[in-house]
Amino acid sequence: MFEKNMGGLDRAIRVVVGIGLIAAAVTGSLGQWAYIGIVPILTAAIGSCPAYKLIGIKTCKTSSES
């Protein structure tokens, strides 16, 4: 359904940032807006970022690059 356009490091960073934002929202360090951390977690889970597709970025290796 979605073309993979994110590499492993990119995905890992998104998970860490997403968890950090959600933890900050739960503890009250940041406002409710920090629940937006679910977005980077979801994009990391599917391996595809719509914004990357719009601007033509691809951080994953393809079979032609290896």
Side-chain angles (χ1 to χ4, degrees):
M1 182 174 187
F2 295 102
E3 179 185 345
K4 302 259 187 230
N5 61 5
M6 293 172 39
L9 180 61
D10 191 2
R11 293 171 80 175
I13 291 170
R14 286 171 182 256
V15 169
V16 170
V17 168
I19 290 171
L21 282 170
I22 292 171
V26 169
T27 62
S29 298
L30 294 176
Q32 297 293 316
W33 67 268
Y35 283 109
I36 196 75
I38 193 71
V39 173
I41 292 172
L42 290 175
T43 57
I46 63 173
S48 180
C49 176
Y52 277 11
K53 186 161 181 90
L54 283 174
I55 58 178
I57 295 175
K58 196 169 194 177
T59 61
C60 67
K61 293 182 180 177
T62 61
S63 58
S64 63
E65 293 177 358
S66 39

